[in-house]
Amino acid sequence: MSIRKENLLIVDDDYDMLEVLDRHLKQENYHTYKAGSVMEAIDILKHSSIDLLITDLQMPGMNGMELVKYVDDHYPEIPKLVITGYPSIDNALTAIKSGALDYLPKPFTKTELLTSVKKSLVNRTSAKKTSSTNEIRANYGGMVGSSAKFEELVDIIERVKNNRATILIRGESGTGKELVARAIHYKGSFAQNPFIAVNCGAIPENLLESELFGSTKGAYTGASETREGYFQAANGGTIFLDEIGTAALAVQIRLLRVLQEKEVRKLGARNSEKIQVRVIAATNSDLREMIEKGTFREDLYYRLNVVDILTPPLRERKEDTLPLAKTFLEKYQRDYGKTGLKLSDKAVEILKRYNWPGNIRELENVIQRAIIMCEDEILPQDLPASVKYQVPTVDEELVALKEVEKKHILKVLAAVDQNKSKAAEILQIDRKTLREKIK
């Protein structure tokens, strides 16, 4: 009895070609899986152990290149052999860049096919490589980067760090707005004084006013003693008001007075007290749009926006992705009882290509997860599927009915080894009708 060889997945929308490939490969004792579309192939990949993918490029709906990219991210250990009836240099280069090990133009002989298959299977055992990228080049106040956008941000911080001008930091969620505020404080001449961070969105609206400005005994139900507020605690230093767009209008009026008069008054108190505080506010909301809707005061906006700093999203400073990833790797691996971890070349490629809609915070979470999942090296399988290449979904409802019928008939025929009687029985049509449909 011959020994079973590797599992090969063949993908082609041409059923005759599938049969030819299947026959040639089975004669060499390979075990084959057949798929007539990209989505069928992905379903097989999820439930089977595949040693080699052989796919056509030109197929209706999602093409073979999409499949190659998907497999390269989700199953990087599987080698990929591309076959096509529309050979071109551009297609060959794109296929190779997308992760294919070989490119075989149609028509080809059985010998050429088997030679390419054997070559691809041999190459799958190539040794792992680790990244040889440069070391982290810049760390400024806890912020890491070396891109032009990062340098611009550092330059602005250097210009404003030594004065008490009010600053508004704008940017998407997860771009490091609080890190910018801390860098302004601790890199400047007030670094020895307090830095108080307040998340306006985390404090209930009815308590925000007393938390910010303090309260006297009996000022409201439950106020059993006189308390200092965050502004008093930050006197001489910096107060950072994160998510300023969530502050109620009543609180906005009080903030405006603080900025104008440089004084605060506790809730329930008659007298105000002078303070010296640098105010840095941050938001991921569009304050101008909120002004138009009447939910944010225009006069407060201009008081806050003396210096405007925009924190760039990670997709606009992609050169910083790897330095940031390495920083998080160093930061968290000890917390999880691991040391000496590395990022593989393929993992680095995936991280650098992804657009990071959740920005630096998302990258940090991904690295933490990968540290937990990996052994001694972070590989693509240690990364969440969300950061890898995704095959776009196809709306099956837009496909013509005859195309759906055709695919289903071919699928049933494949399942019963082309036994037309069994296929007709499953499809609940007579053999003559099936024969006509096949024609």
Side-chain angles (χ1 to χ4, degrees):
M1 175 185 275
S2 56
I3 300 173
R4 184 182 69 81
K5 291 188 177 181
E6 291 89 342
N7 295 327
L8 311 186
L9 171 58
I10 318 165
V11 188
D12 200 313
D13 63 312
D14 183 338
Y15 191 79
D16 290 335
M17 176 56 70
L18 270 182
E19 285 301 304
V20 170
L21 293 172
D22 182 58
R23 185 169 62 253
H24 288 337
L25 294 169
K26 280 183 175 176
Q27 286 173 357
E28 294 298 309
N29 204 35
Y30 290 113
H31 184 264
T32 60
Y33 293 83
K34 294 178 289 184
S37 69
V38 170
M39 295 311 296
E40 283 183 35
I42 290 175
D43 186 59
I44 292 171
L45 285 163
K46 287 178 179 178
H47 300 98
S48 310
S49 176
I50 301 299
D51 297 302
L52 173 65
L53 168 70
I54 303 173
T55 181
D56 187 25
L57 283 186
Q58 302 297 327
M59 290 184 282
M62 285 171 283
N63 62 35
M65 201 67 75
E66 300 282 349
L67 179 59
V68 169
K69 292 176 181 177
Y70 179 89
V71 172
D72 196 45
D73 274 7
H74 293 261
Y75 306 95
E77 73 283 358
I78 300 178
K80 295 155 282 286
L81 170 59
V82 168
I83 57 175
T84 180
Y86 303 89
S88 72
I89 296 297
D90 287 343
N91 276 349
L93 288 174
T94 303
I96 299 301
K97 286 179 181 178
S98 299
L101 288 177
D102 208 352
Y103 181 88
L104 190 61
K106 300 176 185 176
F108 47 81
T109 65
K110 177 182 176 182
T111 300
E112 288 171 334
L113 170 66
L114 296 175
T115 299
S116 292
V117 167
K118 289 173 183 176
K119 177 182 172 183
S120 297
L121 288 170
V122 168
N123 287 339
R124 86 187 191 280
T125 60
S126 59
K128 296 178 183 177
K129 298 177 182 178
T130 54
S131 175
S132 58
T133 49
N134 295 330
E135 295 301 313
I136 298 168
R137 289 173 286 172
N139 189 317
Y140 180 91
M143 301 187 301
V144 175
S146 58
S147 64
K149 291 279 188 181
F150 179 79
E151 295 299 333
E152 288 174 17
L153 188 59
V154 170
D155 182 59
I156 294 172
I157 294 172
E158 284 291 309
R159 292 171 185 271
V160 304
K161 66 182 183 180
N162 292 323
N163 62 66
R164 294 190 185 276
T166 305
I167 298 168
L168 178 63
I169 304 173
R170 298 179 297 110
E172 297 176 10
S173 180
T175 51
K177 294 186 287 295
E178 183 170 343
L179 276 178
V180 172
R182 289 183 180 275
I184 293 169
H185 177 78
Y186 289 108
K187 286 288 183 179
S189 55
F190 312 124
Q192 72 279 8
N193 296 327
F195 176 89
I196 304 296
V198 183
N199 186 336
C200 298
I203 303 173
E205 185 177 317
N206 61 329
L207 294 179
L208 183 58
E209 198 169 354
S210 63
E211 290 292 319
L212 286 176
F213 310 115
S215 59
T216 60
K217 182 178 179 179
Y220 57 89
T221 303
S224 56
E225 59 182 1
T226 298
R227 294 177 62 252
E228 299 290 301
Y230 290 124
F231 270 90
Q232 290 92 339
N235 196 15
T238 302
I239 187 167
F240 173 58
L241 304 175
D242 198 9
E243 295 189 38
I244 189 65
T246 63
L249 287 172
V251 175
Q252 292 179 34
I253 295 171
R254 294 287 299 275
L255 280 173
L256 183 62
R257 182 174 179 80
V258 171
L259 295 173
Q260 287 174 335
E261 307 298 332
K262 306 298 182 186
E263 61 182 27
V264 295
R265 186 171 64 187
K266 292 185 179 74
L267 203 63
R270 293 184 177 182
N271 300 319
S272 300
E273 52 189 298
K274 290 288 184 180
I275 56 168
Q276 281 290 334
V277 175
R278 171 170 50 192
V279 177
I280 302 177
T283 182
N284 57 14
S285 304
D286 187 337
L287 295 185
R288 290 184 178 277
E289 185 178 314
M290 294 180 67
I291 290 169
E292 292 178 5
K293 292 179 179 178
T295 56
F296 199 84
R297 292 182 63 94
E298 186 174 14
D299 47 5
L300 176 60
Y301 172 76
Y302 287 112
R303 282 287 179 180
L304 291 171
N305 197 24
V306 176
V307 177
D308 180 48
I309 298 178
L310 179 64
T311 54
L314 189 52
R315 63 182 173 274
E316 292 181 6
R317 42 178 291 207
K318 281 199 167 184
E319 307 96 305
D320 299 333
T321 302
L322 185 55
L324 284 163
K326 285 188 171 184
T327 299
F328 296 137
L329 190 62
E330 289 297 318
K331 177 181 177 182
Y332 289 109
Q333 61 179 318
R334 286 185 294 273
D335 292 349
Y336 295 108
K338 297 182 176 182
T339 55
L341 297 180
K342 297 179 181 179
L343 287 160
S344 70
D345 282 342
K346 185 59 191 175
V348 167
E349 180 188 327
I350 291 170
L351 295 177
K352 290 170 74 173
R353 186 184 62 218
Y354 184 58
N355 268 335
W356 301 107
N359 294 298
I360 299 171
R361 187 179 297 125
E362 183 183 9
L363 174 60
E364 184 174 5
N365 292 341
V366 165
I367 295 299
Q368 284 192 70
R369 177 192 184 277
I371 291 171
I372 295 169
M373 301 301 292
C374 77
E375 293 183 6
D376 57 356
E377 182 182 34
I378 293 178
L379 301 170
Q381 53 263 41
D382 302 318
L383 300 175
S386 58
V387 306
K388 301 175 188 176
Y389 186 83
Q390 299 297 317
V391 171
T393 56
V394 175
D395 190 347
E396 294 293 344
E397 293 180 2
L398 299 180
V399 177
L401 184 59
K402 63 179 181 180
E403 288 298 320
V404 176
E405 182 184 58
K406 176 183 175 182
K407 287 181 181 179
H408 185 60
I409 290 173
L410 291 174
K411 187 175 182 179
V412 171
L413 283 167
V416 296
D417 248 355
Q418 302 304 303
N419 186 314
K420 294 181 177 60
S421 297
K422 287 184 179 179
E425 184 180 343
I426 293 170
L427 293 167
Q428 295 185 2
I429 57 177
D430 58 55
R431 205 167 183 277
K432 181 181 178 182
T433 302
L434 176 60
R435 195 163 50 244
E436 291 298 320
K437 288 183 179 293
I438 291 174
K439 289 181 181 179

